[in-house]
Amino acid sequence: MTPADLIRDDIRALRAYHVPDSAGLIKLDAMENPYPWPEALRDDWLATLRAADLNRYPDPQGRDLQAGLRDAMGIPADIALLLGNGSDELIQMLAMAVAAPGRKVLSLDPGFVMYRMIALFAGLDYVGVPLREGDFGLDLDATLAAMAREEPALTYIAYPNNPTGNLFDAAAIERIIQASPGLVIVDEAYAPFTDQSFLPRLGEWPNLLVMRTVSKMGLAGLRLGYLAGPPEWLAEIDKVRLPYNVNTLTQASAAFALRHHAAWDAQTAAIRAERATLFDALAAIDGITPYPSDANFILARTEPGRAGAVFQGLLERGVLIKKLDGAHPLLTDCLRITVGTPQENATLLNALEAALASD
C-alpha cells in the first residue's frame, strides 16, 4: 500500500505550508511584532507560569482568558467568545461546522491563503473574487454577483487585508453582510495597527462574526485566536472544537499579557510610527513602489521581472522578507515587508538599495 491508495488526490496535489529557515537572518517575512516580551514584566510572568498546574488539563473554555479578552478588547457580555489554537484553528472549526456536499467558501483574492486551503481540507469549494487591479480595492459589484451566484456558507473578509495591507470600504462590507446567505467573518488579525473595526458592531447583523488573534500584538508564539459573535452561532461551532485546544501555558501567558496590555500598546504605537517612516523611505527608492498599509507590513512592487532577484539579494545580505511574485496575478513583481525595529528597517533599506544596484 502507498499514499496514493489512501490519500485524497486533491491533498496529494498540494504542497505543505512552507516556513523558510530564518536562522541568522533579520526576519521580516511573517508579520511578527519585532519587540521581545517587556523585560520589566518577565519575572511576574514567570511567577505566573510557575503557579500553573501542568499535571491537570487546561480549562476547556479558558474562562479567565475570556474575561481578560472581554476587558481588554471591550467585548460585551451578550457576545459569545470561542478560543482557538491560532486563528487557523478557528477557520478550521468554521469549515468543519458547515461542511456538506456543494457548500462553498467565498473570499477576496489575493487574501489569506488559509481560507482556501482549509476549505479544500474540509471538502468545501472555494470561490475567490479578485480585488481591483491597481489599488487592491474591493469590487463590490463582482462580490455581490458572486455571492448571489455561489450562495457561500462562509464569506471571509480580512480587514485590513493580507497580503495587501489595505482596509476595504466599510460601507461595502456592510452591503456584503446584508446580502450574504451565510455567515460573514470579518478577520481582524491586524486590528492593533488600525483604528477601524467591526468588533463594536457585533449584534447589528445576525450573521456577522469577528475573528482576531493575539499574534500580531506581540504574542505569536502563544498561538491564540478568538472568534466573537452571537451565542447561538458560536454554541454550534464550539461542538467541533477539540477538547482542551488552548493549553495551560498559553492561557496563563495571554491572560497575564492582557492585564498588562499597555506595554504591548506601546509596542504597537512604535510599529505604527515606524511603518510611516519605512513607507516614505521605500517610496524614495527608485524601482520600488510601496502600497499604503493599515497593517504591520508593507506590500511593495519592484520593476517588472526583478522581484526574485531583489528577494535573493536581500537574503544574501541577511534579510528575509516574503516574495509574493507568482502567488497571484495581481501580485506580480510584489514583495511583502514586515515592519521591524528602526535598526532592522535601516538594515533592510541599505540591503535593498545594494540589491537593486547589483541586480
Side-chain angles (χ1 to χ4, degrees):
M1 182 179 293
T2 69
D5 297 312
L6 289 180
I7 305 299
R8 287 163 32 193
D9 291 344
D10 54 354
I11 298 299
R12 287 192 296 112
L14 289 175
R15 292 182 179 180
Y17 190 88
H18 175 63
V19 178
D21 183 9
S22 61
L25 302 173
I26 293 176
K27 194 174 187 299
L28 301 177
D29 69 321
M31 298 91 74
E32 297 151 323
N33 178 333
Y35 297 103
W37 191 280
E39 193 62 39
L41 298 178
R42 283 184 180 269
D43 287 344
D44 289 343
W45 167 54
L46 292 173
T48 298
L49 297 186
R50 280 194 291 270
D53 293 325
L54 297 186
N55 58 313
R56 304 295 184 188
Y57 286 112
D59 177 356
Q61 303 298 330
R63 287 167 292 185
D64 288 346
L65 177 51
Q66 285 205 29
L69 285 166
R70 289 184 184 280
D71 182 59
M73 306 301 170
I75 302 170
D78 61 342
I79 296 297
L81 278 179
L82 184 60
L83 305 181
N85 184 6
S87 58
D88 296 342
E89 190 190 24
L90 294 168
I91 297 169
Q92 185 179 59
M93 288 186 214
L94 285 157
M96 291 172 63
V98 305
R103 290 271 177 88
K104 298 177 181 179
V105 171
L106 183 144
S107 190
L108 308 172
D109 282 341
F112 185 36
V113 67
M114 296 311 294
Y115 305 148
R116 175 180 57 80
M117 291 185 68
I118 291 175
L120 176 63
F121 300 161
L124 294 159
D125 294 329
Y126 177 78
V127 178
V129 180
L131 298 175
R132 291 196 305 257
E133 191 169 359
D135 68 349
F136 301 112
L138 188 159
D139 187 332
L140 180 59
D141 290 341
T143 304
L144 293 176
M147 296 185 77
R149 181 179 66 250
E150 307 290 351
E151 298 184 339
L154 302 174
T155 295
Y156 289 98
I157 301 175
Y159 187 74
N161 190 46
N162 170 25
T164 57
N166 56 316
L167 278 170
F168 302 128
D169 178 63
I173 295 176
E174 293 172 15
R175 290 278 304 279
I176 291 169
I177 297 169
Q178 293 162 359
S180 173
L183 289 172
V184 175
I185 302 95
V186 177
D187 183 352
E188 297 189 348
Y190 301 93
F193 308 102
T194 180
D195 297 324
Q196 305 303 312
S197 173
F198 274 80
L199 189 66
R201 305 189 65 181
L202 282 170
E204 289 187 33
W205 301 275
N207 61 332
L208 172 64
L209 308 179
V210 172
M211 183 169 63
R212 287 187 174 184
T213 174
V214 302
S215 293
K216 311 309 175 186
M217 68 177 274
L219 304 173
L222 296 184
R223 301 302 300 133
L224 175 68
Y226 58 101
L227 187 68
E232 59 269 24
W233 281 111
L234 266 61
E236 297 301 321
I237 298 164
D238 187 47
K239 294 175 182 179
V240 302
R241 178 181 57 83
L242 294 175
Y244 314 117
N245 62 321
V246 179
N247 72 75
T248 295
L249 296 181
T250 287
Q251 290 191 34
S253 296
F256 178 90
L258 290 165
R259 290 194 296 272
H260 301 276
H261 65 84
W264 279 270
D265 292 345
Q267 292 181 352
T268 296
I271 292 168
R272 284 193 185 202
E274 193 60 21
R275 177 181 65 195
T277 301
L278 179 60
F279 180 90
D280 290 343
L282 290 169
I285 297 176
D286 288 339
I288 297 293
T289 302
Y291 292 89
S293 173
D294 273 77
N296 65 336
F297 60 84
I298 295 173
L299 184 73
R301 195 182 298 274
T302 68
E303 292 178 335
R306 300 187 72 185
V310 172
F311 170 82
Q312 188 61 35
L314 288 172
L315 197 59
E316 291 169 358
R317 292 166 175 82
V319 179
L320 177 64
I321 63 170
K322 182 74 170 181
K323 182 172 77 72
L324 294 173
D325 179 61
H328 188 278
L330 291 178
L331 297 174
T332 299
D333 302 314
C334 283
L335 305 168
R336 188 188 64 200
I337 302 166
T338 302
V339 179
T341 65
Q343 296 79 9
E344 289 173 337
N345 294 334
T347 301
L348 160 79
L349 292 166
N350 289 334
L352 180 57
E353 291 187 331
L356 287 167
S358 63
D359 177 24

